[in-house]
Amino acid sequence: MATLTRPFTSAALRSSQAAAAPKLRTTPASPLLPGIKSNLLKPRTFASTAPSRAKAQAPKILLEDKENGYGFVRHNPLPPKPRSRAVTEIRGPYYTVMGSRYLSDVLETMGAHVDGLKFAGGSFSLFPEDRLRELNDLAHAHGVYVSTGGWIEHILASSGGDVSGAVDKYLAKCKDVGFDVVELSTGFLSLPGDDWLRLADRVHKAGLKPKPELGIQFGAGGDTGAAELESIGTSDPSKVINMAKKFADAGVERMMIESEGITENVKTWRTDVIQAIIREIPLEKVMFEAADPSVFNWYIREFGVDVNLFVDHSQIVQLAGLRAGIWGKSDTFGKITTFRP
């Protein structure tokens, strides 16, 4: 099968190609952002719609092929993209390096099961720009949206006196290099709720999708030790629920629920927090971080295949098989099913 990656080209060659190609209509440079222009394109949906070229070439997975594949085997059907439920976001570069060749392997084999790709923190800022664009373009070619990590915390904490200008420049560059979603986390910051909502509005106005990350554990997100996190303590779950409702009212499409303090770096899982969130917030509005196979196994067992999950890229095959109901652990094998005539 022909690869969907765009070959790496030099800056000079890209410049000549750009000169020959039709130019997109752009807005004048913003007075706040001298020299930066933003394309007048509709923002891609959160569960990104694949370009028509990728749709036409996307192969049917064997499990869905009744004539020539394994479609005769009982399984839970794979909903088409873009999805609002059963959304799977995978981690990009963080614990390990990820380049276009590796990502191509992941998406050419399991792309049908992947909805989003998230860079951890500000890891994307460490890339040469050509390589970052290459990864983002590759994801889009497979109908996968691309999300920043929670680097907004660093922008807010280190921008000096012109916080507004720094945020605008950050968002403009994120859009320029091909991001669709900007994560808004405050794991290490004490930020008033109204300010958090203003950030979400700023992201919307930049033509991007805000993805607030909510959690009960202060200091989460930086591999802080369990003992240190325990000494800090956790917030009341009602704080997460109240903020999630405000974000939903503000038009936020989906929020990430941080695992630390709930299923990660804890002696006992706080399943009461998860149940409280699900009772108050629609399932399609939240995505749960599931940092371990035993965690996403529990989520699928408790809430079914429609729960939205964030996992490491190394776990996508295991999660896809669990969603399909074709394998699982001892408590889920042969027990994950749907009824959708």
Side-chain angles (χ1 to χ4, degrees):
M1 183 181 73
T3 180
L4 292 174
T5 63
R6 186 183 63 192
F8 174 74
T9 55
S10 68
L13 180 56
R14 284 181 57 207
S15 177
S16 64
Q17 289 174 335
K23 293 185 178 180
L24 295 170
R25 187 165 60 91
T26 59
T27 58
S30 164
L32 286 175
L33 309 173
I36 297 179
K37 298 181 180 181
S38 57
N39 294 331
L40 288 178
L41 299 174
K42 293 181 180 179
R44 285 175 284 268
T45 54
F46 206 157
S48 178
T49 304
S52 57
R53 179 172 64 90
K55 281 185 175 179
Q57 296 180 0
K60 181 184 292 185
I61 67 171
L62 285 169
L63 195 59
E64 300 289 337
D65 190 341
K66 293 183 178 180
E67 295 182 2
N68 302 304
Y70 300 111
F72 59 88
V73 178
R74 196 217 70 77
H75 65 280
N76 302 318
L78 180 66
K81 297 181 187 180
R83 296 181 273 258
S84 61
R85 293 189 173 206
V87 173
T88 299
E89 187 172 297
I90 61 171
R91 181 185 286 113
Y94 186 38
Y95 298 114
T96 56
V97 173
M98 175 183 284
S100 60
R101 288 176 288 276
Y102 183 91
L103 184 59
S104 291
D105 285 343
V106 172
L107 296 181
E108 286 176 7
T109 55
M110 297 299 293
H113 309 274
V114 178
D115 298 274
L117 172 71
K118 171 188 166 181
F119 286 77
S123 60
F124 50 90
S125 70
L126 303 174
F127 278 62
E129 184 168 325
D130 299 87
R131 293 306 192 186
L132 176 60
R133 290 180 182 274
E134 190 175 34
L135 284 182
N136 292 349
D137 289 348
L138 177 58
H140 293 151
H142 287 269
V144 173
Y145 67 79
V146 189
S147 173
T148 71
W151 206 37
I152 193 71
E153 294 185 73
H154 182 65
I155 306 299
L156 292 173
S158 61
S159 55
D162 188 14
V163 178
S164 180
V167 168
D168 285 342
K169 287 182 179 180
Y170 171 62
L171 297 179
K173 189 59 182 178
C174 285
K175 185 174 183 180
D176 176 54
V177 296
F179 282 102
D180 309 290
V181 180
V182 174
E183 185 173 290
L184 302 176
S185 59
T186 59
F188 292 97
L189 294 178
S190 177
L191 186 71
D194 287 347
D195 291 25
W196 210 352
L197 289 165
R198 289 188 192 96
L199 275 177
D201 182 60
R202 203 70 160 232
V203 174
H204 272 138
K205 288 180 177 177
L208 297 160
K209 298 282 186 176
K211 181 181 64 180
E213 185 177 44
L214 304 167
I216 64 170
Q217 179 66 68
F218 192 83
D223 287 334
T224 308
E228 185 178 348
L229 290 175
E230 186 177 13
S231 68
I232 295 173
T234 57
S235 303
D236 190 284
S238 63
K239 179 181 177 182
V240 171
I241 294 168
N242 291 337
M243 204 63 221
K245 288 179 177 179
K246 290 180 180 179
F247 279 125
D249 290 342
V252 169
E253 191 170 330
R254 191 173 305 123
M255 293 151 274
M256 181 78 79
I257 305 300
E258 169 66 58
S259 63
E260 288 184 273
I262 299 178
T263 58
E264 184 182 359
N265 283 337
V266 291
K267 295 177 181 177
T268 305
W269 289 0
R270 292 292 308 277
T271 58
D272 59 309
V273 176
I274 301 166
Q275 297 287 355
I277 293 170
I278 292 295
R279 278 197 305 269
E280 300 289 338
I281 309 298
L283 192 66
E284 64 270 16
K285 286 288 186 182
V286 291
M287 172 177 282
F288 294 95
E289 183 179 5
D292 185 89
S294 62
V295 175
F296 62 70
N297 182 81
W298 181 87
Y299 274 111
I300 297 290
R301 190 192 73 196
E302 289 296 307
F303 304 110
V305 299
D306 285 340
V307 64
N308 301 323
L309 296 170
F310 169 64
V311 300
D312 190 70
H313 54 79
S314 63
Q315 300 163 343
I316 182 58
V317 178
Q318 188 173 356
L319 176 57
L322 185 58
R323 285 198 195 276
I326 62 172
W327 73 65
K329 291 178 174 286
S330 59
D331 59 335
T332 51
F333 189 89
K335 301 178 179 68
I336 305 304
T337 188
T338 57
F339 176 67
R340 293 167 185 179

